[in-house]
mmCIF file of all heavy atoms in Angstrom:
data_model
loop_
_atom_site.group_PDB
_atom_site.id
_atom_site.type_symbol
_atom_site.label_atom_id
_atom_site.label_comp_id
_atom_site.label_asym_id
_atom_site.label_seq_id
_atom_site.Cartn_x
_atom_site.Cartn_y
_atom_site.Cartn_z
ATOM 1 N N GLY O 25 10.508 3.790 7.127
ATOM 2 C CA GLY O 25 9.699 2.594 6.842
ATOM 3 C C GLY O 25 10.222 1.822 5.675
ATOM 4 O O GLY O 25 9.793 2.051 4.543
ATOM 5 N N LEU O 26 11.075 0.864 5.989
ATOM 6 C CA LEU O 26 11.668 0.049 4.897
ATOM 7 C C LEU O 26 10.993 -1.354 4.849
ATOM 8 O O LEU O 26 11.656 -2.358 4.971
ATOM 9 C CB LEU O 26 13.177 -0.072 5.122
ATOM 10 C CG LEU O 26 13.946 1.273 5.310
ATOM 11 C CD1 LEU O 26 15.408 1.017 5.738
ATOM 12 C CD2 LEU O 26 13.906 2.051 3.977
ATOM 13 N N TYR O 31 11.434 -0.375 1.217
ATOM 14 C CA TYR O 31 12.848 -0.779 1.057
ATOM 15 C C TYR O 31 13.342 -0.508 -0.396
ATOM 16 O O TYR O 31 14.334 0.243 -0.624
ATOM 17 C CB TYR O 31 13.030 -2.239 1.485
ATOM 18 C CG TYR O 31 14.418 -2.717 1.586
ATOM 19 C CD1 TYR O 31 15.057 -2.796 2.834
ATOM 20 C CD2 TYR O 31 15.182 -3.068 0.482
ATOM 21 C CE1 TYR O 31 16.376 -3.213 2.947
ATOM 22 C CE2 TYR O 31 16.503 -3.524 0.597
ATOM 23 C CZ TYR O 31 17.090 -3.604 1.852
ATOM 24 O OH TYR O 31 18.389 -4.049 1.954
ATOM 25 N N VAL O 45 18.096 6.607 6.532
ATOM 26 C CA VAL O 45 16.950 5.758 6.602
ATOM 27 C C VAL O 45 16.700 5.338 8.051
ATOM 28 O O VAL O 45 17.599 5.189 8.843
ATOM 29 C CB VAL O 45 17.125 4.425 5.775
ATOM 30 C CG1 VAL O 45 17.187 4.771 4.270
ATOM 31 C CG2 VAL O 45 18.383 3.664 6.142
ATOM 32 N N TRP O 46 15.390 5.100 8.359
ATOM 33 C CA TRP O 46 14.980 4.613 9.659
ATOM 34 C C TRP O 46 13.983 3.481 9.473
ATOM 35 O O TRP O 46 13.079 3.618 8.607
ATOM 36 C CB TRP O 46 14.378 5.737 10.529
ATOM 37 C CG TRP O 46 14.024 5.183 11.898
ATOM 38 C CD1 TRP O 46 14.835 5.069 12.954
ATOM 39 C CD2 TRP O 46 12.729 4.727 12.327
ATOM 40 N NE1 TRP O 46 14.145 4.508 14.077
ATOM 41 C CE2 TRP O 46 12.867 4.255 13.659
ATOM 42 C CE3 TRP O 46 11.495 4.591 11.696
ATOM 43 C CZ2 TRP O 46 11.802 3.733 14.385
ATOM 44 C CZ3 TRP O 46 10.464 4.027 12.429
ATOM 45 C CH2 TRP O 46 10.579 3.648 13.805
ATOM 46 N N ASN O 47 14.165 2.429 10.231
ATOM 47 C CA ASN O 47 13.155 1.363 10.237
ATOM 48 C C ASN O 47 13.039 0.888 11.663
ATOM 49 O O ASN O 47 14.006 0.810 12.433
ATOM 50 C CB ASN O 47 13.606 0.227 9.347
ATOM 51 C CG ASN O 47 12.492 -0.737 9.060
ATOM 52 O OD1 ASN O 47 11.560 -0.397 8.379
ATOM 53 N ND2 ASN O 47 12.576 -1.934 9.629
ATOM 54 N N ARG O 48 11.754 0.552 12.062
ATOM 55 C CA ARG O 48 11.541 0.089 13.426
ATOM 56 C C ARG O 48 12.474 -1.073 13.792
ATOM 57 O O ARG O 48 13.093 -1.059 14.841
ATOM 58 C CB ARG O 48 10.063 -0.293 13.620
ATOM 59 C CG ARG O 48 9.677 -0.772 15.011
ATOM 60 C CD ARG O 48 8.286 -1.220 15.056
ATOM 61 N NE ARG O 48 7.963 -2.327 14.123
ATOM 62 C CZ ARG O 48 6.817 -2.929 14.072
ATOM 63 N NH1 ARG O 48 5.824 -2.549 14.839
ATOM 64 N NH2 ARG O 48 6.641 -3.959 13.262
ATOM 65 N N THR O 49 12.559 -2.054 12.933
ATOM 66 C CA THR O 49 13.497 -3.170 13.163
ATOM 67 C C THR O 49 14.832 -2.724 12.563
ATOM 68 O O THR O 49 14.993 -2.585 11.367
ATOM 69 C CB THR O 49 12.977 -4.411 12.467
ATOM 70 O OG1 THR O 49 11.668 -4.700 12.976
ATOM 71 C CG2 THR O 49 13.917 -5.660 12.689
ATOM 72 N N THR O 50 15.792 -2.506 13.453
ATOM 73 C CA THR O 50 17.047 -1.863 13.061
ATOM 74 C C THR O 50 17.818 -2.693 12.025
ATOM 75 O O THR O 50 18.448 -2.089 11.125
ATOM 76 C CB THR O 50 17.940 -1.702 14.312
ATOM 77 O OG1 THR O 50 17.136 -1.089 15.285
ATOM 78 C CG2 THR O 50 19.130 -0.842 14.032
ATOM 79 N N ALA O 51 17.718 -3.989 12.141
ATOM 80 C CA ALA O 51 18.495 -4.877 11.228
ATOM 81 C C ALA O 51 18.165 -4.583 9.746
ATOM 82 O O ALA O 51 19.015 -4.680 8.850
ATOM 83 C CB ALA O 51 18.237 -6.308 11.533
ATOM 84 N N VAL O 52 16.933 -4.190 9.481
ATOM 85 C CA VAL O 52 16.522 -3.899 8.098
ATOM 86 C C VAL O 52 17.192 -2.638 7.567
ATOM 87 O O VAL O 52 17.660 -2.574 6.463
ATOM 88 C CB VAL O 52 14.980 -3.783 8.003
ATOM 89 C CG1 VAL O 52 14.524 -3.491 6.538
ATOM 90 C CG2 VAL O 52 14.266 -5.056 8.536
ATOM 91 N N ALA O 53 17.234 -1.640 8.464
ATOM 92 C CA ALA O 53 17.937 -0.370 8.083
ATOM 93 C C ALA O 53 19.446 -0.646 7.867
ATOM 94 O O ALA O 53 20.059 -0.076 6.945
ATOM 95 C CB ALA O 53 17.711 0.674 9.135
ATOM 96 N N GLU O 54 19.974 -1.496 8.684
ATOM 97 C CA GLU O 54 21.412 -1.861 8.551
ATOM 98 C C GLU O 54 21.654 -2.489 7.147
ATOM 99 O O GLU O 54 22.575 -2.225 6.446
ATOM 100 C CB GLU O 54 21.843 -2.865 9.607
ATOM 101 C CG GLU O 54 22.307 -2.207 10.896
ATOM 102 C CD GLU O 54 22.466 -3.199 12.055
ATOM 103 O OE1 GLU O 54 22.317 -4.434 11.839
ATOM 104 O OE2 GLU O 54 22.688 -2.721 13.162
ATOM 105 N N ARG O 55 20.748 -3.401 6.811
ATOM 106 C CA ARG O 55 20.831 -4.110 5.528
ATOM 107 C C ARG O 55 20.730 -3.098 4.356
ATOM 108 O O ARG O 55 21.427 -3.164 3.392
ATOM 109 C CB ARG O 55 19.719 -5.143 5.452
ATOM 110 C CG ARG O 55 19.756 -6.036 4.151
ATOM 111 C CD ARG O 55 19.124 -7.375 4.356
ATOM 112 N NE ARG O 55 17.774 -7.285 4.875
ATOM 113 C CZ ARG O 55 16.660 -7.212 4.143
ATOM 114 N NH1 ARG O 55 16.795 -7.137 2.818
ATOM 115 N NH2 ARG O 55 15.476 -7.141 4.670
ATOM 116 N N HIS O 56 19.812 -2.142 4.511
ATOM 117 C CA HIS O 56 19.631 -1.117 3.488
ATOM 118 C C HIS O 56 20.902 -0.326 3.313
ATOM 119 O O HIS O 56 21.372 -0.038 2.201
ATOM 120 C CB HIS O 56 18.417 -0.237 3.802
ATOM 121 C CG HIS O 56 17.885 0.498 2.676
ATOM 122 N ND1 HIS O 56 18.379 1.694 2.207
ATOM 123 C CD2 HIS O 56 16.856 0.190 1.831
ATOM 124 C CE1 HIS O 56 17.654 2.073 1.155
ATOM 125 N NE2 HIS O 56 16.720 1.166 0.896
ATOM 126 N N ALA O 57 21.482 0.103 4.468
ATOM 127 C CA ALA O 57 22.689 0.893 4.424
ATOM 128 C C ALA O 57 23.797 0.118 3.726
ATOM 129 O O ALA O 57 24.562 0.664 2.873
ATOM 130 C CB ALA O 57 23.084 1.288 5.841
ATOM 131 N N GLY O 58 23.876 -1.202 3.972
ATOM 132 C CA GLY O 58 24.914 -2.004 3.367
ATOM 133 C C GLY O 58 24.672 -2.140 1.876
ATOM 134 O O GLY O 58 25.616 -2.123 1.027
ATOM 135 N N THR O 62 23.124 3.925 2.039
ATOM 136 C CA THR O 62 22.362 4.914 2.798
ATOM 137 C C THR O 62 22.924 4.986 4.253
ATOM 138 O O THR O 62 23.685 4.090 4.642
ATOM 139 C CB THR O 62 20.853 4.590 2.868
ATOM 140 O OG1 THR O 62 20.725 3.206 3.221
ATOM 141 C CG2 THR O 62 20.257 4.744 1.489
ATOM 142 N N ARG O 63 22.525 5.984 4.998
ATOM 143 C CA ARG O 63 23.022 6.109 6.363
ATOM 144 C C ARG O 63 21.868 5.768 7.333
ATOM 145 O O ARG O 63 20.749 6.273 7.193
ATOM 146 C CB ARG O 63 23.509 7.569 6.602
ATOM 147 C CG ARG O 63 24.283 7.709 7.890
ATOM 148 C CD ARG O 63 25.145 8.983 7.820
ATOM 149 N NE ARG O 63 24.308 10.202 7.614
ATOM 150 C CZ ARG O 63 23.735 10.852 8.590
ATOM 151 N NH1 ARG O 63 23.803 10.434 9.847
ATOM 152 N NH2 ARG O 63 23.022 11.924 8.350
ATOM 153 N N MET O 64 22.136 4.901 8.304
ATOM 154 C CA MET O 64 21.057 4.519 9.215
ATOM 155 C C MET O 64 20.894 5.541 10.322
ATOM 156 O O MET O 64 21.869 5.969 10.912
ATOM 157 C CB MET O 64 21.496 3.164 9.848
ATOM 158 C CG MET O 64 20.360 2.486 10.568
ATOM 159 S SD MET O 64 21.035 0.919 11.205
ATOM 160 C CE MET O 64 21.363 1.399 12.818
ATOM 161 N N ALA O 65 19.677 5.987 10.534
ATOM 162 C CA ALA O 65 19.412 6.910 11.609
ATOM 163 C C ALA O 65 19.433 6.225 12.978
ATOM 164 O O ALA O 65 18.939 5.143 13.080
ATOM 165 C CB ALA O 65 18.034 7.562 11.391
ATOM 166 N N ALA O 66 20.109 6.832 13.901
ATOM 167 C CA ALA O 66 20.141 6.239 15.272
ATOM 168 C C ALA O 66 18.763 6.351 15.875
ATOM 169 O O ALA O 66 18.309 5.476 16.661
ATOM 170 C CB ALA O 66 21.214 6.948 16.082
ATOM 171 N N ASP O 67 18.060 7.420 15.543
ATOM 172 C CA ASP O 67 16.731 7.669 16.123
ATOM 173 C C ASP O 67 15.861 8.238 14.986
ATOM 174 O O ASP O 67 16.411 8.945 14.140
ATOM 175 C CB ASP O 67 16.893 8.721 17.215
ATOM 176 C CG ASP O 67 15.596 8.900 18.001
ATOM 177 O OD1 ASP O 67 14.686 9.599 17.435
ATOM 178 O OD2 ASP O 67 15.518 8.384 19.102
ATOM 179 N N VAL O 68 14.567 7.895 14.995
ATOM 180 C CA VAL O 68 13.718 8.373 13.907
ATOM 181 C C VAL O 68 13.730 9.905 13.817
ATOM 182 O O VAL O 68 13.652 10.464 12.684
ATOM 183 C CB VAL O 68 12.289 7.846 14.112
ATOM 184 C CG1 VAL O 68 11.590 8.444 15.307
ATOM 185 C CG2 VAL O 68 11.441 8.107 12.852
#
Side-chain angles (χ1 to χ4, degrees):
L26 304 172
Y31 191 99
V45 292
W46 181 84
N47 194 69
R48 181 182 61 175
T49 304
T50 311
V52 180
E54 272 169 5
R55 183 154 55 86
H56 201 276
T62 50
R63 192 161 59 83
M64 194 179 96
D67 187 284
V68 67

